[in-house]
Amino acid sequence: MRLLLCLFMLTTCVACASDGPSVEFGGKVFKVEIADNPEEQALGLMFRDSMPADAGMIFIFPNESPRSFWMKNTRIPLDIMYFDKDLKMVSISENTPPCRVSRCPSYPSIKPAMYVLELNAGTASELGVDIGDRLLIDLD
């Protein structure tokens, strides 16, 4: 009976430890929403008035390719970080401002990327991250 109780508690604790998808970058863990299809990727973080400091969005593409993001209808400034297939940061657009006009500029990656991470503006600077730093992804 004790063994069953211990197994139940262990299973429950493991399930509680997984709080949904997250990434670790610059020594900090962020809860992320996943954008892995064209509809979610097109919507991104549009129309949001705020985002918790420990949150973000990870865009997952099927392959490495030059990527370009814009901030149309995005109400909060963001850091946009581009990662290659090996999860190494290859490009960053820091403190990317919201766009409130009809023609918004785009923010392209310098090199091909397979993953893009959006966090609140200023986070990359606070973490001291730079090109070449690696991202860890936990999709559980």
Side-chain angles (χ1 to χ4, degrees):
M1 183 68 162
R2 280 189 187 176
L3 179 60
L4 283 174
L5 181 59
C6 288
L7 285 173
F8 174 74
M9 290 175 60
L10 179 62
T11 305
T12 304
C13 291
V14 169
C16 292
S18 178
D19 238 358
S22 65
V23 300
E24 184 178 336
F25 192 53
K28 185 171 179 185
V29 175
F30 298 89
K31 295 175 186 171
V32 291
E33 295 176 53
I34 300 171
D36 60 0
N37 65 57
E39 295 78 22
E40 292 169 340
Q41 292 166 348
L43 182 61
L45 291 170
M46 290 180 175
F47 307 110
R48 302 194 190 190
D49 294 319
S50 65
M51 183 167 62
D54 67 342
M57 181 171 277
I58 184 81
F59 296 76
I60 302 173
F61 296 95
N63 56 15
E64 272 188 342
S65 186
R67 305 284 171 205
S68 187
F69 278 50
W70 68 343
M71 297 289 285
K72 185 161 179 88
N73 298 318
T74 304
R75 298 175 180 165
I76 54 175
L78 298 170
D79 287 343
I80 305 171
M81 292 157 279
Y82 301 87
F83 299 83
D84 66 12
K85 63 180 173 36
D86 298 318
L87 299 171
K88 183 177 74 172
M89 187 162 68
V90 294
S91 187
I92 184 170
S93 175
E94 291 187 81
N95 299 308
T96 313
C99 181
R100 294 180 175 91
V101 296
S102 60
R103 292 192 175 181
C104 297
S106 61
Y107 301 91
S109 59
I110 295 171
K111 293 183 177 180
M114 188 167 170
Y115 305 91
V116 179
L117 176 63
E118 291 183 338
L119 300 174
N120 283 307
T123 303
S125 178
E126 288 173 17
L127 296 174
V129 296
D130 206 351
I131 302 301
D133 289 352
R134 292 198 183 268
L135 177 70
L136 297 173
I137 300 176
D138 181 1
L139 299 178
D140 291 333

